[in-house]
Amino acid sequence: MDENTNKSKIILTVILVAIIVITTFIIVMFTLSAQNTEKNSKNYLTTNTIISQIIKKMNYENLSKISDKNISKYYNIADGTVTDCSMYISNRADIGMELACFRLSSEESEKSLMDSVSEYISSKDTENKEGSGQLAKIKTDIVYPYVFVAMTSDSEAAAKAFEEIINSK
């Protein structure tokens, strides 16, 4: 009996050690996997957050957000080109201020989006905007994965604010 008891204790000890080793291995693998996922996934700002910060920083007033599904009325963006977009326009037709921000789905999507932006800008009614001087002050800026479009009287300053926001995250 003594020999069987010792064998049982040894088998039980081996099983417990195996369970501890396997559990430790699983915990370590999950921890490493979580750390790699965190490192590989960038914490992107939403495009709405970016424009909201620009509006605040530039002290812009009287801007309304265009719903995401209505942005297609302004920009003809191919499916899969962007993963997030936001657009604000002036409440006053005589001012014609617009801000838009897009997050590209990939670097390959940049040309397609920029073609859409160029098409939209060239389709703007120049007669309505010449009085306010907005059309002449359009600025586009790219800080991958973001594309920013400003149509304001101080588009250069808005673009600098955009770059500062992106680079400070």
Side-chain angles (χ1 to χ4, degrees):
M1 286 275 238
D2 230 4
E3 191 175 307
N4 284 338
T5 306
N6 282 342
K7 284 184 181 181
S8 295
K9 286 181 180 178
I10 290 172
I11 290 172
L12 184 60
T13 303
V14 168
I15 290 172
L16 287 174
V17 169
I19 290 172
I20 291 170
V21 167
I22 291 170
T23 303
T24 303
F25 177 76
I26 290 171
I27 291 170
V28 167
M29 292 309 293
F30 275 121
T31 303
L32 290 174
S33 176
Q35 287 174 347
N36 284 338
T37 301
E38 188 176 309
K39 286 178 186 175
N40 292 335
S41 69
K42 296 183 179 184
N43 294 324
Y44 291 121
L45 294 171
T46 66
T47 55
N48 192 58
T49 299
I50 293 168
I51 291 189
S52 295
Q53 289 181 14
I54 291 168
I55 290 170
K56 184 177 179 182
K57 190 172 193 154
M58 299 297 295
N59 296 315
Y60 291 144
E61 296 178 350
N62 301 316
L63 292 172
S64 296
K65 184 178 183 339
I66 301 299
S67 73
D68 294 350
K69 57 185 163 189
N70 285 335
I71 292 175
S72 63
K73 292 179 181 178
Y74 299 86
Y75 293 92
N76 184 20
I77 301 170
D79 287 341
T81 303
V82 298
T83 59
D84 187 22
C85 57
S86 187
M87 182 176 180
Y88 284 73
I89 63 171
S90 174
N91 296 335
R92 294 179 44 194
D94 63 324
I95 294 180
M97 180 188 296
E98 296 181 18
L99 300 172
C101 187
F102 307 92
R103 186 170 63 222
L104 294 166
S105 60
S106 67
E107 288 185 55
E108 292 78 30
S109 300
E110 183 179 321
K111 182 181 178 342
S112 175
L113 178 62
M114 293 311 293
D115 288 346
S116 298
V117 169
S118 295
E119 179 182 318
Y120 172 65
I121 290 170
S122 64
S123 74
K124 297 291 287 174
D125 183 3
T126 57
E127 291 178 24
N128 290 338
K129 304 302 180 215
E130 283 178 359
S132 66
Q134 297 301 322
L135 190 63
K137 296 181 177 130
I138 296 172
K139 174 72 175 159
T140 58
D141 197 0
I142 301 170
V143 178
Y144 186 80
Y146 301 101
V147 174
F148 177 65
V149 181
M151 295 182 207
T152 70
S153 59
D154 55 355
S155 294
E156 288 288 333
K160 285 183 183 179
F162 162 73
E163 290 177 8
E164 288 172 6
I165 290 165
I166 300 300
N167 291 329
S168 69
K169 71 169 185 102

mmCIF file of all heavy atoms in Angstrom, residues 126-162:
data_model
loop_
_atom_site.group_PDB
_atom_site.id
_atom_site.type_symbol
_atom_site.label_atom_id
_atom_site.label_comp_id
_atom_site.label_asym_id
_atom_site.label_seq_id
_atom_site.Cartn_x
_atom_site.Cartn_y
_atom_site.Cartn_z
ATOM 1 N N THR A 126 -18.099 79.571 -57.452
ATOM 2 C CA THR A 126 -17.154 80.665 -57.212
ATOM 3 C C THR A 126 -17.847 82.018 -57.105
ATOM 4 O O THR A 126 -17.406 82.888 -56.360
ATOM 5 C CB THR A 126 -16.086 80.727 -58.328
ATOM 6 O OG1 THR A 126 -16.740 80.870 -59.574
ATOM 7 C CG2 THR A 126 -15.230 79.491 -58.310
ATOM 8 N N GLU A 127 -18.947 82.201 -57.789
ATOM 9 C CA GLU A 127 -19.638 83.495 -57.729
ATOM 10 C C GLU A 127 -20.143 83.784 -56.326
ATOM 11 O O GLU A 127 -20.073 84.907 -55.855
ATOM 12 C CB GLU A 127 -20.795 83.531 -58.722
ATOM 13 C CG GLU A 127 -20.327 83.558 -60.163
ATOM 14 C CD GLU A 127 -21.495 83.543 -61.126
ATOM 15 O OE1 GLU A 127 -22.612 83.952 -60.743
ATOM 16 O OE2 GLU A 127 -21.294 83.126 -62.269
ATOM 17 N N ASN A 128 -20.642 82.762 -55.628
ATOM 18 C CA ASN A 128 -21.175 82.967 -54.283
ATOM 19 C C ASN A 128 -20.064 83.177 -53.257
ATOM 20 O O ASN A 128 -20.304 83.750 -52.210
ATOM 21 C CB ASN A 128 -22.035 81.781 -53.848
ATOM 22 C CG ASN A 128 -23.329 81.715 -54.610
ATOM 23 O OD1 ASN A 128 -23.782 82.714 -55.159
ATOM 24 N ND2 ASN A 128 -23.917 80.535 -54.669
ATOM 25 N N LYS A 129 -18.890 82.674 -53.532
ATOM 26 C CA LYS A 129 -17.821 82.739 -52.538
ATOM 27 C C LYS A 129 -16.841 83.883 -52.767
ATOM 28 O O LYS A 129 -16.077 84.211 -51.886
ATOM 29 C CB LYS A 129 -17.042 81.421 -52.502
ATOM 30 C CG LYS A 129 -17.898 80.216 -52.249
ATOM 31 C CD LYS A 129 -18.654 80.323 -50.946
ATOM 32 C CE LYS A 129 -19.504 79.092 -50.730
ATOM 33 N NZ LYS A 129 -20.747 79.327 -50.080
ATOM 34 N N GLU A 130 -16.830 84.462 -53.941
ATOM 35 C CA GLU A 130 -15.851 85.509 -54.213
ATOM 36 C C GLU A 130 -16.024 86.700 -53.286
ATOM 37 O O GLU A 130 -15.058 87.289 -52.839
ATOM 38 C CB GLU A 130 -15.931 85.958 -55.673
ATOM 39 C CG GLU A 130 -15.271 84.973 -56.607
ATOM 40 C CD GLU A 130 -15.381 85.387 -58.059
ATOM 41 O OE1 GLU A 130 -15.982 86.437 -58.351
ATOM 42 O OE2 GLU A 130 -14.858 84.655 -58.908
ATOM 43 N N GLY A 131 -17.250 87.034 -52.948
ATOM 44 C CA GLY A 131 -17.500 88.168 -52.071
ATOM 45 C C GLY A 131 -16.895 87.981 -50.693
ATOM 46 O O GLY A 131 -16.373 88.903 -50.095
ATOM 47 N N SER A 132 -16.951 86.767 -50.188
ATOM 48 C CA SER A 132 -16.403 86.523 -48.849
ATOM 49 C C SER A 132 -14.917 86.218 -48.898
ATOM 50 O O SER A 132 -14.252 86.246 -47.871
ATOM 51 C CB SER A 132 -17.137 85.353 -48.190
ATOM 52 O OG SER A 132 -16.869 84.160 -48.890
ATOM 53 N N GLY A 133 -14.398 85.898 -50.060
ATOM 54 C CA GLY A 133 -12.975 85.584 -50.183
ATOM 55 C C GLY A 133 -12.626 84.192 -49.681
ATOM 56 O O GLY A 133 -11.464 83.853 -49.560
ATOM 57 N N GLN A 134 -13.625 83.373 -49.386
ATOM 58 C CA GLN A 134 -13.359 82.052 -48.817
ATOM 59 C C GLN A 134 -12.712 81.101 -49.818
ATOM 60 O O GLN A 134 -11.834 80.358 -49.476
ATOM 61 C CB GLN A 134 -14.655 81.431 -48.284
ATOM 62 C CG GLN A 134 -15.285 82.220 -47.157
ATOM 63 C CD GLN A 134 -14.369 82.360 -45.971
ATOM 64 O OE1 GLN A 134 -13.639 81.440 -45.612
ATOM 65 N NE2 GLN A 134 -14.365 83.516 -45.359
ATOM 66 N N LEU A 135 -13.183 81.125 -51.067
ATOM 67 C CA LEU A 135 -12.702 80.151 -52.033
ATOM 68 C C LEU A 135 -11.202 80.284 -52.273
ATOM 69 O O LEU A 135 -10.511 79.296 -52.433
ATOM 70 C CB LEU A 135 -13.467 80.278 -53.357
ATOM 71 C CG LEU A 135 -13.223 79.155 -54.354
ATOM 72 C CD1 LEU A 135 -13.698 77.828 -53.773
ATOM 73 C CD2 LEU A 135 -13.896 79.424 -55.667
ATOM 74 N N ALA A 136 -10.707 81.490 -52.270
ATOM 75 C CA ALA A 136 -9.283 81.708 -52.524
ATOM 76 C C ALA A 136 -8.425 81.208 -51.368
ATOM 77 O O ALA A 136 -7.228 81.092 -51.513
ATOM 78 C CB ALA A 136 -9.030 83.190 -52.766
ATOM 79 N N LYS A 137 -9.039 80.906 -50.220
ATOM 80 C CA LYS A 137 -8.267 80.518 -49.047
ATOM 81 C C LYS A 137 -8.593 79.090 -48.622
ATOM 82 O O LYS A 137 -8.966 78.834 -47.498
ATOM 83 C CB LYS A 137 -8.535 81.503 -47.924
ATOM 84 C CG LYS A 137 -8.037 82.886 -48.312
ATOM 85 C CD LYS A 137 -8.245 83.884 -47.234
ATOM 86 C CE LYS A 137 -7.653 85.200 -47.702
ATOM 87 N NZ LYS A 137 -8.509 86.295 -47.558
ATOM 88 N N ILE A 138 -8.438 78.181 -49.552
ATOM 89 C CA ILE A 138 -8.652 76.767 -49.267
ATOM 90 C C ILE A 138 -7.299 76.127 -48.990
ATOM 91 O O ILE A 138 -6.335 76.358 -49.715
ATOM 92 C CB ILE A 138 -9.337 76.062 -50.452
ATOM 93 C CG1 ILE A 138 -10.732 76.634 -50.667
ATOM 94 C CG2 ILE A 138 -9.414 74.556 -50.206
ATOM 95 C CD1 ILE A 138 -11.408 76.136 -51.920
ATOM 96 N N LYS A 139 -7.243 75.353 -47.950
ATOM 97 C CA LYS A 139 -5.989 74.691 -47.583
ATOM 98 C C LYS A 139 -6.290 73.227 -47.279
ATOM 99 O O LYS A 139 -7.206 72.914 -46.520
ATOM 100 C CB LYS A 139 -5.392 75.380 -46.347
ATOM 101 C CG LYS A 139 -4.169 74.722 -45.768
ATOM 102 C CD LYS A 139 -2.955 74.898 -46.626
ATOM 103 C CE LYS A 139 -1.742 74.309 -45.917
ATOM 104 N NZ LYS A 139 -0.671 74.006 -46.791
ATOM 105 N N THR A 140 -5.549 72.343 -47.917
ATOM 106 C CA THR A 140 -5.622 70.927 -47.569
ATOM 107 C C THR A 140 -4.292 70.537 -46.942
ATOM 108 O O THR A 140 -3.234 71.053 -47.324
ATOM 109 C CB THR A 140 -5.898 70.034 -48.805
ATOM 110 O OG1 THR A 140 -4.870 70.246 -49.756
ATOM 111 C CG2 THR A 140 -7.250 70.345 -49.413
ATOM 112 N N ASP A 141 -4.364 69.658 -45.978
ATOM 113 C CA ASP A 141 -3.155 69.227 -45.279
ATOM 114 C C ASP A 141 -3.296 67.744 -44.969
ATOM 115 O O ASP A 141 -4.386 67.265 -44.656
ATOM 116 C CB ASP A 141 -2.988 70.029 -43.985
ATOM 117 C CG ASP A 141 -1.586 69.944 -43.424
ATOM 118 O OD1 ASP A 141 -0.725 69.260 -44.016
ATOM 119 O OD2 ASP A 141 -1.331 70.562 -42.371
ATOM 120 N N ILE A 142 -2.190 67.035 -45.074
ATOM 121 C CA ILE A 142 -2.197 65.600 -44.802
ATOM 122 C C ILE A 142 -1.154 65.298 -43.737
ATOM 123 O O ILE A 142 0.013 65.640 -43.883
ATOM 124 C CB ILE A 142 -1.868 64.786 -46.073
ATOM 125 C CG1 ILE A 142 -2.882 65.088 -47.171
ATOM 126 C CG2 ILE A 142 -1.838 63.292 -45.749
ATOM 127 C CD1 ILE A 142 -2.508 64.528 -48.524
ATOM 128 N N VAL A 143 -1.609 64.689 -42.664
ATOM 129 C CA VAL A 143 -0.733 64.095 -41.660
ATOM 130 C C VAL A 143 -1.295 62.686 -41.490
ATOM 131 O O VAL A 143 -2.311 62.506 -40.825
ATOM 132 C CB VAL A 143 -0.733 64.864 -40.324
ATOM 133 C CG1 VAL A 143 0.166 64.163 -39.312
ATOM 134 C CG2 VAL A 143 -0.310 66.308 -40.516
ATOM 135 N N TYR A 144 -0.662 61.740 -42.195
ATOM 136 C CA TYR A 144 -1.219 60.397 -42.275
ATOM 137 C C TYR A 144 -1.560 59.874 -40.899
ATOM 138 O O TYR A 144 -0.764 60.007 -39.978
ATOM 139 C CB TYR A 144 -0.247 59.441 -42.988
ATOM 140 C CG TYR A 144 -0.873 58.085 -43.196
ATOM 141 C CD1 TYR A 144 -1.756 57.876 -44.243
ATOM 142 C CD2 TYR A 144 -0.630 57.043 -42.318
ATOM 143 C CE1 TYR A 144 -2.367 56.641 -44.425
ATOM 144 C CE2 TYR A 144 -1.235 55.819 -42.493
ATOM 145 C CZ TYR A 144 -2.105 55.626 -43.532
ATOM 146 O OH TYR A 144 -2.723 54.409 -43.706
ATOM 147 N N PRO A 145 -2.749 59.317 -40.747
ATOM 148 C CA PRO A 145 -3.753 58.928 -41.733
ATOM 149 C C PRO A 145 -4.845 59.985 -41.954
ATOM 150 O O PRO A 145 -5.885 59.681 -42.524
ATOM 151 C CB PRO A 145 -4.368 57.680 -41.099
ATOM 152 C CG PRO A 145 -4.359 57.973 -39.636
ATOM 153 C CD PRO A 145 -3.080 58.758 -39.420
ATOM 154 N N TYR A 146 -4.601 61.217 -41.520
ATOM 155 C CA TYR A 146 -5.635 62.249 -41.604
ATOM 156 C C TYR A 146 -5.428 63.186 -42.796
ATOM 157 O O TYR A 146 -4.305 63.530 -43.137
ATOM 158 C CB TYR A 146 -5.644 63.104 -40.331
ATOM 159 C CG TYR A 146 -5.906 62.305 -39.076
ATOM 160 C CD1 TYR A 146 -4.863 61.938 -38.233
ATOM 161 C CD2 TYR A 146 -7.197 61.909 -38.740
ATOM 162 C CE1 TYR A 146 -5.101 61.208 -37.086
ATOM 163 C CE2 TYR A 146 -7.442 61.181 -37.594
ATOM 164 C CZ TYR A 146 -6.388 60.819 -36.765
ATOM 165 O OH TYR A 146 -6.630 60.091 -35.637
ATOM 166 N N VAL A 147 -6.560 63.614 -43.362
ATOM 167 C CA VAL A 147 -6.569 64.640 -44.402
ATOM 168 C C VAL A 147 -7.504 65.729 -43.895
ATOM 169 O O VAL A 147 -8.632 65.455 -43.489
ATOM 170 C CB VAL A 147 -7.069 64.090 -45.755
ATOM 171 C CG1 VAL A 147 -7.196 65.215 -46.769
ATOM 172 C CG2 VAL A 147 -6.137 63.000 -46.266
ATOM 173 N N PHE A 148 -7.015 66.950 -43.908
ATOM 174 C CA PHE A 148 -7.775 68.092 -43.400
ATOM 175 C C PHE A 148 -8.022 69.069 -44.540
ATOM 176 O O PHE A 148 -7.126 69.334 -45.338
ATOM 177 C CB PHE A 148 -6.985 68.776 -42.274
ATOM 178 C CG PHE A 148 -7.618 70.004 -41.728
ATOM 179 C CD1 PHE A 148 -8.823 69.958 -41.047
ATOM 180 C CD2 PHE A 148 -7.009 71.232 -41.888
ATOM 181 C CE1 PHE A 148 -9.411 71.101 -40.530
ATOM 182 C CE2 PHE A 148 -7.577 72.388 -41.368
ATOM 183 C CZ PHE A 148 -8.786 72.327 -40.689
ATOM 184 N N VAL A 149 -9.242 69.590 -44.607
ATOM 185 C CA VAL A 149 -9.604 70.583 -45.617
ATOM 186 C C VAL A 149 -10.203 71.773 -44.885
ATOM 187 O O VAL A 149 -11.158 71.623 -44.110
ATOM 188 C CB VAL A 149 -10.635 70.031 -46.633
ATOM 189 C CG1 VAL A 149 -10.967 71.083 -47.675
ATOM 190 C CG2 VAL A 149 -10.126 68.753 -47.291
ATOM 191 N N ALA A 150 -9.632 72.957 -45.119
ATOM 192 C CA ALA A 150 -10.142 74.179 -44.493
ATOM 193 C C ALA A 150 -10.487 75.186 -45.578
ATOM 194 O O ALA A 150 -9.692 75.435 -46.480
ATOM 195 C CB ALA A 150 -9.094 74.772 -43.553
ATOM 196 N N MET A 151 -11.674 75.739 -45.472
ATOM 197 C CA MET A 151 -12.105 76.839 -46.337
ATOM 198 C C MET A 151 -12.522 77.955 -45.397
ATOM 199 O O MET A 151 -13.680 78.041 -44.986
ATOM 200 C CB MET A 151 -13.287 76.415 -47.215
ATOM 201 C CG MET A 151 -12.951 75.344 -48.202
ATOM 202 S SD MET A 151 -14.377 74.955 -49.223
ATOM 203 C CE MET A 151 -14.026 73.271 -49.643
ATOM 204 N N THR A 152 -11.535 78.742 -45.019
ATOM 205 C CA THR A 152 -11.771 79.835 -44.074
ATOM 206 C C THR A 152 -10.939 81.038 -44.495
ATOM 207 O O THR A 152 -10.087 80.938 -45.383
ATOM 208 C CB THR A 152 -11.349 79.435 -42.634
ATOM 209 O OG1 THR A 152 -9.930 79.334 -42.577
ATOM 210 C CG2 THR A 152 -11.970 78.117 -42.212
ATOM 211 N N SER A 153 -11.159 82.138 -43.814
ATOM 212 C CA SER A 153 -10.347 83.324 -44.102
ATOM 213 C C SER A 153 -8.926 83.149 -43.579
ATOM 214 O O SER A 153 -8.020 83.854 -43.997
ATOM 215 C CB SER A 153 -10.997 84.567 -43.477
ATOM 216 O OG SER A 153 -11.116 84.378 -42.084
ATOM 217 N N ASP A 154 -8.735 82.182 -42.668
ATOM 218 C CA ASP A 154 -7.399 81.917 -42.112
ATOM 219 C C ASP A 154 -7.084 80.416 -42.188
ATOM 220 O O ASP A 154 -6.712 79.790 -41.203
ATOM 221 C CB ASP A 154 -7.296 82.434 -40.678
ATOM 222 C CG ASP A 154 -8.386 81.875 -39.765
ATOM 223 O OD1 ASP A 154 -9.280 81.157 -40.255
ATOM 224 O OD2 ASP A 154 -8.331 82.151 -38.558
ATOM 225 N N SER A 155 -7.207 79.864 -43.374
ATOM 226 C CA SER A 155 -7.014 78.425 -43.592
ATOM 227 C C SER A 155 -5.612 77.949 -43.208
ATOM 228 O O SER A 155 -5.450 76.841 -42.712
ATOM 229 C CB SER A 155 -7.303 78.067 -45.046
ATOM 230 O OG SER A 155 -8.664 78.272 -45.331
ATOM 231 N N GLU A 156 -4.607 78.778 -43.448
ATOM 232 C CA GLU A 156 -3.230 78.400 -43.079
ATOM 233 C C GLU A 156 -3.124 78.189 -41.567
ATOM 234 O O GLU A 156 -2.522 77.219 -41.111
ATOM 235 C CB GLU A 156 -2.226 79.469 -43.532
ATOM 236 C CG GLU A 156 -1.991 79.517 -45.027
ATOM 237 C CD GLU A 156 -1.192 78.331 -45.543
ATOM 238 O OE1 GLU A 156 -0.386 77.742 -44.788
ATOM 239 O OE2 GLU A 156 -1.387 77.990 -46.727
ATOM 240 N N ALA A 157 -3.709 79.091 -40.788
ATOM 241 C CA ALA A 157 -3.669 78.971 -39.334
ATOM 242 C C ALA A 157 -4.463 77.747 -38.878
ATOM 243 O O ALA A 157 -4.048 77.037 -37.952
ATOM 244 C CB ALA A 157 -4.218 80.232 -38.682
ATOM 245 N N ALA A 158 -5.587 77.474 -39.533
ATOM 246 C CA ALA A 158 -6.380 76.293 -39.193
ATOM 247 C C ALA A 158 -5.580 75.019 -39.475
ATOM 248 O O ALA A 158 -5.613 74.064 -38.695
ATOM 249 C CB ALA A 158 -7.694 76.291 -39.973
ATOM 250 N N ALA A 159 -4.847 75.006 -40.584
ATOM 251 C CA ALA A 159 -4.015 73.847 -40.926
ATOM 252 C C ALA A 159 -2.895 73.659 -39.909
ATOM 253 O O ALA A 159 -2.566 72.524 -39.544
ATOM 254 C CB ALA A 159 -3.443 73.993 -42.332
ATOM 255 N N LYS A 160 -2.330 74.762 -39.435
ATOM 256 C CA LYS A 160 -1.294 74.661 -38.389
ATOM 257 C C LYS A 160 -1.895 74.109 -37.104
ATOM 258 O O LYS A 160 -1.274 73.289 -36.423
ATOM 259 C CB LYS A 160 -0.638 76.018 -38.144
ATOM 260 C CG LYS A 160 0.324 76.401 -39.238
ATOM 261 C CD LYS A 160 1.028 77.702 -38.950
ATOM 262 C CE LYS A 160 1.916 78.054 -40.134
ATOM 263 N NZ LYS A 160 2.619 79.297 -39.965
ATOM 264 N N ALA A 161 -3.105 74.530 -36.765
ATOM 265 C CA ALA A 161 -3.791 74.004 -35.578
ATOM 266 C C ALA A 161 -4.035 72.502 -35.736
ATOM 267 O O ALA A 161 -3.844 71.725 -34.800
ATOM 268 C CB ALA A 161 -5.101 74.752 -35.351
ATOM 269 N N PHE A 162 -4.427 72.100 -36.940
ATOM 270 C CA PHE A 162 -4.627 70.682 -37.249
ATOM 271 C C PHE A 162 -3.345 69.896 -36.997
ATOM 272 O O PHE A 162 -3.352 68.870 -36.301
ATOM 273 C CB PHE A 162 -5.071 70.547 -38.707
ATOM 274 C CG PHE A 162 -4.916 69.173 -39.300
ATOM 275 C CD1 PHE A 162 -5.756 68.138 -38.936
ATOM 276 C CD2 PHE A 162 -3.926 68.930 -40.253
ATOM 277 C CE1 PHE A 162 -5.611 66.877 -39.492
ATOM 278 C CE2 PHE A 162 -3.778 67.681 -40.823
ATOM 279 C CZ PHE A 162 -4.619 66.652 -40.432
#
